[in-house]
Amino acid sequence: MIKATVQCLNVGWGDAHLIQLPSGSVCLIDGGDGTFSEDQDHPLSWMNRNGRDRLEWMILTHIHEDHINGLLDIAREKRVIKAVLPYEPFELPSEQLVLECEDSYVMRVFHMLNSYLELIHVLSDQGTEIKWRSMYGSNDNSVVWSDKEVTLTHLYPWDGDPLPAYEVLMKAVSTYVANGNSDEFTEILPSFFELSNDDSSVYRLSYVNEPSSSILFGGDQLEPGWERLAQRTDIRSRIWKVSHHGVQDGFNSRILSWIQPEHCIICCSVERSTDFQEEWDILRSRTDTVFHLTGDRAAGTMSSIDNGSIPVKIGM
């Protein structure tokens, strides 16, 4: 009997993963970059074509455009009952002050952070119950939800794990709040983008009667975080949603040895995957793991992984 289904959407270079729970509820982990096109999907499009007018759970692993933008699109259009977000609200200087630095990269990071604050605002306005992921910061408080013996668990970060991106952000914000000068703020801000993957959440979906069918959602977590996690938790999982789109800093032989997956799902477009094929071929030669690329699924097509009571679909 199927207990839950997972669909990893083709959102190009980005993550968007829908879990349909036994009760009929829907949980979305990340939302892609917000692009609507014939070449890639969008979780809002998925909801519309499947007649879904609300999400029971919305989860953001970390702040990058290819994870947050689609969530903001949904929050503007659909009802969201509960959300798990990485950071509590913070203060940013006015856009005009940032514009004065005339740095396009700084503006990109500023707008990305502004989108996150807008997401919090839109969700709050519609009455969403917002939970900060710090609530799930220990083994005793790691279960996000459990539905008829299907459980989603937050594995990383826990209390005490380093959050380098957040530390940089708080330094930039406190500097601005203290003196009102945006110069130092704009000097510090780009580091947030570069470090955000280190702050990425990791989640595991499992069914109590089939522990071998667990699915690990890696967000964009990088090797140091995986090593820290593997030292305290058995992270072996049958299916791994590969972190950081298959880039070597989040997808390599060391991490594979800790997870030991039978299937790896890589969220990446065909075009951008060409840069990594040589590295992936080396990994294939060292393991029996099957690699699946979300971006090679044409519009309207899907492939499936037989995973007992939690089958996985890949594509649009």
Side-chain angles (χ1 to χ4, degrees):
M1 178 184 294
I2 292 177
K3 292 292 182 180
T5 60
V6 174
Q7 186 165 350
C8 299
L9 297 183
N10 171 11
V11 291
W13 179 276
D15 278 27
H17 314 295
L18 289 142
I19 305 169
Q20 297 186 69
L21 285 61
S23 62
S25 298
V26 176
C27 172
L28 173 63
I29 302 178
D30 292 327
D33 65 5
T35 299
F36 291 91
S37 75
E38 294 182 356
D39 298 326
Q40 67 182 60
D41 209 349
H42 190 299
L44 180 58
S45 300
W46 182 93
M47 292 184 71
N48 287 335
R49 67 176 178 261
N50 285 279
R52 298 282 185 171
D53 60 0
R54 73 179 199 176
L55 282 178
E56 277 68 28
W57 287 92
M58 171 185 282
I59 297 175
L60 174 64
T61 58
H62 66 295
I63 303 177
H64 271 157
E65 299 104 325
D66 57 325
H67 295 254
I68 189 174
N69 287 2
L71 298 185
L72 186 52
D73 291 334
I74 287 176
R76 290 167 175 158
E77 298 288 336
K78 302 288 186 179
R79 181 83 172 90
V80 180
I81 308 304
K82 296 180 181 180
V84 180
L85 303 179
Y87 312 129
E88 295 188 42
F90 43 82
E91 183 178 350
L92 292 178
S94 69
E95 183 173 4
Q96 184 55 44
L97 285 176
V98 178
L99 280 170
E100 291 173 1
C101 78
E102 299 181 345
D103 186 318
S104 59
Y105 188 39
V106 170
M107 286 303 303
R108 177 185 178 185
V109 181
F110 177 82
H111 285 142
M112 184 178 73
L113 291 169
N114 237 0
S115 293
Y116 178 67
L117 294 178
E118 183 182 355
L119 178 63
I120 295 173
H121 176 75
V122 172
L123 291 174
S124 297
D125 276 357
Q126 66 163 269
T128 300
E129 181 182 351
I130 298 177
K131 299 172 179 287
W132 313 112
R133 70 177 176 194
S134 56
M135 296 175 60
Y136 309 104
S138 69
N139 187 55
D140 293 333
N141 296 293
S142 60
V143 174
V144 179
W145 52 255
S146 188
D147 188 316
K148 298 182 181 179
E149 300 180 315
V150 177
T151 301
L152 185 73
T153 307
H154 178 263
L155 299 183
Y156 194 91
W158 280 0
D159 296 338
D161 288 332
L163 296 172
Y166 184 68
E167 291 174 7
V168 164
L169 177 60
M170 290 301 98
K171 180 181 179 182
V173 169
S174 61
T175 298
Y176 169 71
V177 171
N179 58 33
N181 188 330
S182 64
D183 291 344
E184 191 170 354
F185 176 88
T186 56
E187 289 175 6
I188 298 172
L189 197 59
S191 296
F192 176 85
F193 189 96
E194 297 157 12
L195 294 169
S196 186
N197 288 338
D198 293 277
D199 286 16
S200 180
S201 297
V202 175
Y203 292 91
R204 177 155 53 193
L205 181 70
S206 57
Y207 175 43
V208 66
N209 291 329
E210 291 181 15
S212 63
S213 66
S214 63
I215 303 168
L216 196 62
F217 295 92
D220 277 354
Q221 187 52 244
L222 306 181
E223 184 177 332
W226 284 111
E227 183 168 16
R228 194 174 296 110
L229 175 56
Q231 288 172 348
R232 68 166 178 244
T233 305
D234 182 355
I235 57 173
R236 289 175 295 177
S237 300
R238 184 165 189 263
I239 299 175
W240 177 30
K241 196 298 296 180
V242 168
S243 55
H244 201 198
H245 316 288
V247 180
Q248 191 174 31
D249 56 7
F251 182 45
N252 56 51
S253 58
R254 292 192 74 217
I255 306 173
L256 279 168
S257 71
W258 299 325
I259 301 173
Q260 300 178 26
E262 294 180 28
H263 297 270
C264 285
I265 300 172
I266 306 172
C267 298
C268 183
S269 63
V270 172
E271 294 76 15
R272 296 189 67 172
S273 71
T274 57
D275 295 334
F276 315 115
Q277 289 293 346
E278 184 175 347
E279 295 170 1
W280 295 349
D281 287 342
I282 294 173
L283 287 178
R284 284 190 184 97
S285 69
R286 298 173 178 172
T287 178
D288 294 329
T289 301
V290 180
F291 293 6
H292 307 264
L293 186 68
T294 59
D296 66 5
R297 304 309 191 272
T301 65
M302 283 190 298
S303 62
S304 299
I305 299 174
D306 183 2
N307 189 42
S309 295
I310 313 179
V312 177
K313 301 176 183 178
I314 305 167
M316 302 168 71

